[in-house]
Amino acid sequence: MKIFIYSLMVTAFALTVNAQIKRPTPPIIKKPFSESLQAVVVTTKDWNAVQGKARLFERMTAGSTWKPLGASFPVVVGRSGLGLDAALVSVETVRPEPVVKHEGDGRSPAGLFPLTFAFGSKTKPETTLPFTDVEEFTECVDDVRSTHYNTIVDRIKVGNFDWNSSEKMLAVGPAYERGIFVAYNSYTPIPGNGSCIFLHIWKDANTATSGCTAMKRSDLESLLKKLDPAKTPYLVQLPADEYLRNRKSWKLPKLK
């Protein structure tokens, strides 16, 4: 009898543990830039510059001309400048000289990336993007060994605590009171290629980020109001000369 009861206890414990272990939700299929009708274009002086400018563009259909939607505004990027998205390394139209983006390098990713959802704390901003509240246990996992690498999770709800490193988002403070998730390295994330890339509020016009792209609160809130998930918004981020060199072949907005 004792052996039988012990076996039941072990089985119950195993079932409880397995029930708590949850895998991250598989990412949705990435829609190509060719289907995007909105683009936040960020350009910098060169690969190492930390200051740049941004502007929102929109088009009626995938085959129509891009039109600016509002004026350009200043931004800051990573403290080491921009790093090329590894997915573009083999593309002939991108020069081979730039450093490739990787985890912890202090570079913001250069390339074309979907803007998939908004997040923030205190109050919800005016936006039609899917929204995630930043609360006490909201974390962005940057541990390359975690099954939750490069995702935002609620530590209490996720169940599978398989990471040793993450960004405690509420503790970051004012910078994350408003933000947009940049889906860089998000579709089958490759460990070590970089994680937790956002558009968020800057400290000031001279303070770089650790790899995100930051701007004034008012400019970010303006983007949140205008970005429409039905239009597959993208971030297009490149040094100015690379942008101009690839504009026609990638069918990017004309800046001037």
Side-chain angles (χ1 to χ4, degrees):
M1 179 62 73
K2 289 183 178 180
I3 294 176
F4 177 72
I5 294 174
Y6 176 76
S7 298
L8 287 177
M9 292 174 64
V10 171
T11 302
F13 177 76
L15 289 173
T16 301
V17 171
N18 288 333
Q20 290 177 345
I21 297 177
K22 301 176 183 177
R23 298 301 178 187
T25 302
I28 59 175
I29 297 173
K30 180 180 180 180
K31 292 185 178 180
F33 178 72
S34 60
E35 297 181 13
S36 174
L37 302 181
Q38 287 184 323
V40 179
V41 174
V42 171
T43 56
T44 59
K45 181 180 178 181
D46 53 47
W47 288 100
N48 298 314
V50 300
Q51 295 173 316
K53 59 181 180 179
R55 195 172 193 180
L56 176 61
F57 290 83
E58 189 171 281
R59 57 184 175 180
M60 294 297 294
T61 68
S64 59
T65 302
W66 289 100
K67 301 292 184 181
L69 198 63
S72 62
F73 52 90
V75 297
V76 291
V77 296
R79 61 179 180 273
S80 300
L82 299 180
L84 185 64
D85 177 8
L88 295 177
V89 172
S90 61
V91 179
E92 294 181 0
T93 51
V94 177
R95 296 176 183 176
E97 294 90 343
V99 175
V100 176
K101 168 68 184 167
H102 62 81
E103 187 70 46
D105 62 359
R107 293 182 181 273
S108 297
L112 302 87
F113 316 107
L115 297 171
T116 52
F117 65 91
F119 62 84
S121 61
K122 295 186 177 181
T123 59
K124 181 180 178 180
E126 183 181 344
T127 185
T128 59
L129 291 172
F131 184 77
T132 295
D133 280 309
V134 173
E135 300 174 330
E136 181 180 0
F137 299 106
T138 305
E139 302 179 20
C140 189
V141 180
D142 56 16
D143 186 336
V144 298
R145 294 162 295 185
S146 173
T147 56
H148 299 282
Y149 178 63
N150 195 27
T151 61
I152 293 177
V153 300
D154 184 315
R155 185 179 183 88
I156 299 301
K157 297 178 181 178
V158 75
N160 185 20
F161 308 140
D162 66 348
W163 62 90
N164 293 315
S165 176
S166 65
E167 191 170 23
K168 312 301 189 291
M169 296 182 67
L170 188 63
V172 172
Y176 287 177
E177 288 182 6
R178 297 286 185 269
I180 301 173
F181 188 84
V182 178
Y184 163 75
N185 192 33
S186 291
Y187 302 88
T188 309
I190 298 175
N193 276 15
S195 62
C196 306
I197 305 299
F198 315 132
L199 302 184
H200 66 72
I201 300 169
W202 71 14
K203 181 179 179 180
D204 56 56
N206 298 308
T207 302
T209 72
S210 296
C212 296
T213 299
M215 61 201 72
K216 289 190 296 185
R217 183 187 183 105
S218 59
D219 289 327
L220 183 54
E221 290 183 334
S222 178
L223 285 181
L224 287 167
K225 291 178 182 178
K226 295 174 182 177
L227 292 179
D228 181 351
K231 296 181 179 181
T232 312
Y234 257 71
L235 170 66
V236 179
Q237 189 160 252
L238 289 165
D241 59 345
E242 286 297 316
Y243 186 93
L244 292 174
R245 197 159 65 88
N246 293 295
R247 188 186 70 80
K248 290 185 178 179
S249 59
W250 290 4
K251 298 182 179 179
L252 303 176
K254 187 175 182 180
L255 299 182
K256 293 183 180 179

